[in-house]
Amino acid sequence: MSDMLNKTPWHLWVIGLLALIWNAYPAYDFVMTMMHGANYMGNLPPEQVAYFEATPNWAKAFWAAGGWGGLIGSLLLLLRSKWAHYAFIVSLIGVAGSLVYTYGLSDGGRISGTNGAILWTVIAVIAGFLALYSRAMVRKGVLR
């Protein structure tokens, strides 16, 4: 066990924990939205609730892939598994598909406004970073 800790760079633990915290929310958000949690959905404007209810299943699948792929990838990163990279790729594809739907095929961009655009930019950058970081850790032999 100590051999594993000695060979693992410190930044993997920091990035892994931060990624786990970051990616826990979209997974929670997806579950609560799909379950139509009254306390959760009750805090949203009616226009946003209607938007979520009208979202087609294929777009929800991208949303699920983005959130759950990131959460699973974070756990796998902390377990030093090379499969973390593939999970982060799934997450990145999910984010990309969600962006296409939100800003290209629906009225989501208008509904989410400027703050939503900023948040989506941050989400995409972090998803891309995690995919690249995990690939680098696989190539260095840290993830097996």
Side-chain angles (χ1 to χ4, degrees):
M1 177 73 167
S2 65
D3 187 42
M4 177 183 85
L5 292 175
N6 290 337
K7 292 183 180 180
T8 305
W10 65 269
H11 50 79
L12 183 130
W13 303 116
V14 172
I15 290 171
L17 285 171
L18 290 174
L20 183 64
I21 293 165
W22 171 260
N23 285 303
Y25 182 76
Y28 170 77
D29 181 51
F30 180 80
V31 169
M32 292 306 293
T33 302
M34 293 302 106
M35 292 177 59
H36 302 285
N39 290 338
Y40 192 77
M41 298 294 281
N43 295 326
L44 299 176
E47 184 180 33
Q48 200 167 5
V49 172
Y51 173 77
F52 287 133
E53 290 175 353
T55 300
N57 287 336
W58 67 264
K60 290 176 185 173
F62 277 110
W63 180 16
W68 287 100
L71 183 63
I72 292 167
S74 301
L75 291 169
L76 291 170
L77 184 66
L78 290 169
L79 292 171
R80 295 185 59 221
S81 171
K82 69 179 178 183
W83 293 99
H85 175 62
Y86 300 107
F88 285 133
I89 293 295
V90 168
S91 177
L92 186 58
I93 291 168
V95 169
S98 294
L99 282 168
V100 167
Y101 175 72
T102 301
Y103 290 96
L105 302 174
S106 74
D107 207 18
R110 183 190 60 75
I111 292 169
S112 61
T114 303
N115 289 340
I118 293 168
L119 180 60
W120 272 112
T121 302
V122 171
I123 290 168
V125 167
I126 290 174
F129 168 77
L130 290 171
L132 291 172
Y133 178 79
S134 60
R135 181 180 70 179
M137 292 299 100
V138 169
R139 288 184 175 172
K140 290 182 178 181
V142 175
L143 304 182
R144 297 179 207 145

